[in-house]
Amino acid sequence: MIEPAALASAEALLEPLLPAQRRAALHDAVARVARGHARVLVLGEAKRGKSTLVNALFGQPLLPTGALPLTSVTTVVAVGAAAEAEVRYRDGDRAGIALGAVAELVSEKGNPGNKRGVDRVLVTAPCEFLPPGTEVVDTPGTGSVNVANTDEARRALSTLDVALLVVAADQPVSVAELDLVAEAMATASRAAVVINKVDLVDDEQLAEVVDFTAQVVVDRLGQPVPVFPLSALAARRRDDGFDTFAAWLAGELQSHGQAHALASTARALRRETTVLRDALLVQEELLRRRGEHGTATLAALSEILDRAGDRACAAVDHVRGEARRLRGQLDVAHDKAVASALAASAQVQAELSDRQGDRSPEDLVVNVRSTVADVIRVRAQNWYFATAADLEGGMRQAAGRAMESLRADLVRARHAAGELLQVEFSDVTDLPGLEPSRTPSFEASVHPGWEELVSAAVKRRLPVQIRRRHVLRELDGWRLTAVPRPFGRARSTLQDSLREAARVAERGIETTRTEHIAALQQGVAAAQDQSGRSEAATVPALEQLAQRFSALDKAFALLGG
């Protein structure tokens, strides 16, 4: 096992080579390992109850919660003796703040899009469950309307030891959430899933949600992780599910916290070292080639990387185009399904009217509504699931083709760049492939409004034949609005699923592009900055690069690379 001292030595070697923001994050991670403290990252989409879960762990409302997506910056809550807070800004400034001021700095309302430039807010508070020094990090929710929040959440993925994915019991785990935990596991040593808001579903539904969530997470990660159903809101009322989760987390951190921190921080440092090495290789080779040869090499390499970037843009365009095509296909299918359902409901109404006999018009209303509701519910569900399967298949194929083609193009680009410069770049390990999850379940329902019930009560005083004519006219009007309604809700849900699948695919494409060519582009940019140097100035620049390579080699050795 790597020792904390080795991590500190490797970090000291890398520090001069890293951007300021990365230096600070990795320095904090190494210092945390030296203290034997683990970092728990709470991940998930907006409004899953992440802040509520953190508050439950610490037994007090440290972080803001509410009906709208609230968290706009990363908030670190550390286990300590006293409750206090500090804000750190991206320009390096820091200041102590009152606990009551935390909400204003970390919430979307008080700090929209993090316009105040907050790097993080650090809160210290006692905790009956977790070891002293443990850091619990509440991230902004991904997938919300605030793109800056999603970017902030992903920045937090660079240094973590244990990942907690928080999902909601009333919404099956999404593609984006599975993607998020897969990204986290590129660094983290342990993961668990918290299914929050269990009070919103019954016991039978909850059992299905737990089984489904456990299975799709295994499929995505290739390994099982613990799944804890609970209600974070009910935690202070001694919810059994929360107690089970808190006991697991406490035991995990007590037994393996430092080991998790060592392993995950070593992975983060190795990743940084690999990226730096590739960038320096490009920079060094371009510096060695002077005059027309160097200019031609730089132009050829830039063209290779630009083409690779164009391929990524083309992959995104392909996914977006397929999403638009499938959206049009969905709209056409919806209109046909509604027309067919309306025709079927009219036939049901006519048949029931013909068989009414001596029953009252009010009985006819109840019979028609009930029967039509059952017929439409089945039709809406069948259409929904059949259409969802078609859409999922279409997006899966589109994303798969785009990603497979892009990866092949990027591998060729790296190979071509290596051949041009006569260097060997590091291997790139892609994250697991993106696989859309099951579309959320849907059940149609058709009920009269209170206005209709009042109107019917008044009309019962009219003669039977007049009431019958009124009833038949109102049933016709009711069908025209009630029958399309469940199909409209189904289409809306499917549209959201399409948008989510497209976003996940686009994010996967951008991540893949960055993994393959971002470091090479950094090297090109650095070489371009030095391209005007004289031969005399190039010699010390190459000597400096040699020193940096030596530092990277030493760092790799310390990290077990």
Side-chain angles (χ1 to χ4, degrees):
M1 178 185 292
I2 298 174
E3 295 296 327
L7 287 185
S9 298
E11 187 249 335
L13 290 166
L14 296 177
E15 183 188 16
L17 311 180
L18 291 167
Q21 196 173 84
R22 296 299 303 135
R23 281 202 301 271
L26 291 173
H27 179 75
D28 285 350
V30 171
R32 190 176 64 252
V33 171
R35 296 191 300 270
H37 300 158
R39 165 171 285 197
V40 179
L41 203 64
V42 184
L43 303 163
E45 292 199 296
K47 304 318 303 168
R48 297 301 190 259
K50 298 183 299 297
S51 298
T52 304
L53 181 66
V54 176
N55 287 342
L57 280 169
F58 284 83
Q60 55 181 308
L62 300 172
L63 307 179
T65 60
L68 297 175
L70 284 171
T71 310
S72 64
V73 299
T74 297
T75 311
V76 180
V77 186
V79 179
E84 54 190 20
E86 176 187 84
V87 57
R88 298 182 185 179
Y89 295 95
R90 288 183 174 174
D91 62 6
D93 286 346
R94 60 176 64 190
I97 58 173
L99 287 174
V102 170
E104 184 180 355
L105 289 169
V106 306
S107 69
E108 187 60 32
K109 180 180 179 181
N111 186 14
N114 193 17
K115 291 182 178 179
R116 298 190 184 190
V118 176
D119 181 65
R120 69 188 59 190
V121 171
L122 176 61
V123 178
T124 303
C127 179
E128 66 176 284
F129 300 107
L130 305 181
T134 300
E135 293 183 0
V136 181
V137 184
D138 182 31
T139 60
T142 60
S144 74
V145 295
N146 303 299
V147 176
N149 291 2
T150 297
D151 293 341
E152 178 67 19
R154 295 190 174 279
R155 188 168 76 93
L157 289 172
S158 60
T159 56
L160 76 156
D161 308 318
V162 178
L164 294 180
L165 176 66
V166 181
V167 300
D170 61 334
Q171 302 176 59
V173 60
S174 70
V175 183
E177 287 166 330
L178 293 173
D179 182 37
L180 195 61
V181 74
E183 283 189 58
M185 289 307 293
T187 300
S189 292
R190 196 76 164 98
V193 177
V194 171
I195 302 177
N196 193 20
K197 305 183 181 182
V198 297
D199 49 308
L200 299 181
V201 298
D202 60 35
D203 291 342
E204 183 177 351
Q205 289 174 310
L206 180 59
E208 293 179 358
V209 170
V210 171
D211 289 344
F212 169 71
T213 302
Q215 185 57 55
V216 295
V217 172
V218 168
D219 292 344
R220 185 69 174 90
L221 298 182
Q223 59 179 314
V225 301
V227 178
F228 299 98
L230 56 85
S231 173
L233 275 176
R236 294 298 88 193
R237 298 194 296 271
R238 310 313 300 174
D239 172 73
D240 290 342
F242 177 81
D243 289 344
T244 301
F245 158 71
W248 173 85
L249 183 59
E252 187 70 26
L253 295 177
Q254 290 282 7
S255 302
H256 309 293
Q258 186 174 30
H260 290 332
L262 277 167
S264 60
T265 304
R267 277 192 290 272
L269 289 171
R270 279 195 293 269
R271 188 163 55 247
E272 296 289 349
T273 306
T274 298
V275 171
L276 285 169
R277 180 180 179 278
D278 284 349
L280 292 181
L281 281 173
V282 173
Q283 187 179 351
E284 181 186 46
E285 287 305 314
L286 290 175
L287 275 176
R288 290 185 185 280
R289 303 173 190 219
R290 300 190 47 74
E292 293 183 1
H293 180 43
T295 301
T297 301
L298 179 59
L301 180 57
S302 297
E303 184 178 353
I304 290 171
L305 299 180
D306 287 345
R307 283 201 303 268
D310 291 342
R311 295 289 189 274
C313 291
V316 169
D317 289 342
H318 175 73
V319 168
R320 289 176 178 173
E322 185 65 10
R324 286 192 297 270
R325 186 188 71 80
L326 291 171
R327 169 65 185 269
Q329 178 180 307
L330 170 61
D331 291 339
V332 171
H334 167 266
D335 293 344
K336 289 182 178 179
V338 169
S340 176
L342 284 170
S345 67
Q347 182 177 351
V348 168
Q349 180 178 323
E351 292 174 353
L352 293 176
S353 298
D354 291 342
R355 299 199 304 264
Q356 184 187 10
D358 295 333
R359 300 174 68 183
S360 70
E362 290 72 33
D363 288 341
L364 175 62
V365 171
V366 173
N367 199 11
V368 169
R369 282 186 184 274
S370 176
T371 306
V372 168
D374 289 341
V375 169
I376 298 309
R377 181 179 296 111
V378 172
R379 278 178 168 265
Q381 288 175 333
N382 290 344
W383 175 77
Y384 176 81
F385 288 113
T387 307
D390 290 341
L391 296 179
E392 285 185 359
M395 281 306 298
R396 184 183 296 112
Q397 290 178 8
R401 286 195 301 267
M403 192 68 78
E404 183 179 358
S405 176
L406 176 62
R407 282 175 174 152
D409 288 337
L410 293 175
V411 167
R412 284 194 291 269
R414 284 179 68 86
H415 182 69
E419 285 194 334
L420 176 68
L421 299 176
Q422 297 181 332
V423 299
E424 184 176 347
F425 294 121
S426 307
D427 292 333
V428 173
T429 303
D430 289 312
L431 292 173
L434 300 172
E435 278 292 330
S437 64
R438 184 181 68 179
T439 308
S441 61
F442 173 80
E443 182 175 352
S445 61
V446 185
H447 300 292
W450 68 269
E451 299 92 341
E452 298 174 68
L453 296 175
V454 171
S455 176
V458 172
K459 289 172 183 173
R460 283 195 183 93
R461 301 177 184 178
L462 298 173
V464 172
Q465 291 304 319
I466 296 176
R467 282 156 50 202
R468 179 180 171 80
R469 287 197 297 271
H470 275 292
V471 160
L472 291 176
R473 282 199 302 269
E474 289 186 358
L475 282 174
D476 286 337
W478 169 79
R479 285 190 307 99
L480 291 175
T481 57
V483 169
R485 195 175 300 137
F487 290 92
R489 288 197 297 267
R491 177 172 65 172
S492 177
T493 303
L494 291 169
Q495 288 169 346
D496 289 343
S497 296
L498 262 180
R499 283 192 292 269
E500 180 191 5
R503 283 198 304 267
V504 168
E506 289 178 31
R507 191 164 60 243
I509 288 169
E510 175 56 24
T511 299
T512 300
R513 185 202 68 79
T514 300
E515 289 170 346
H516 285 78
I517 65 173
L520 310 191
Q521 290 173 323
Q522 291 172 18
V524 168
Q528 286 174 330
D529 290 341
Q530 298 174 326
S531 59
R533 292 189 176 193
S534 64
E535 183 174 358
T538 300
V539 172
L542 288 172
E543 291 175 350
Q544 185 182 48
L545 285 176
Q547 293 172 357
R548 292 180 175 180
F549 275 118
S550 176
L552 293 181
D553 289 341
K554 292 176 182 177
F556 263 127
L558 289 166
L559 297 169

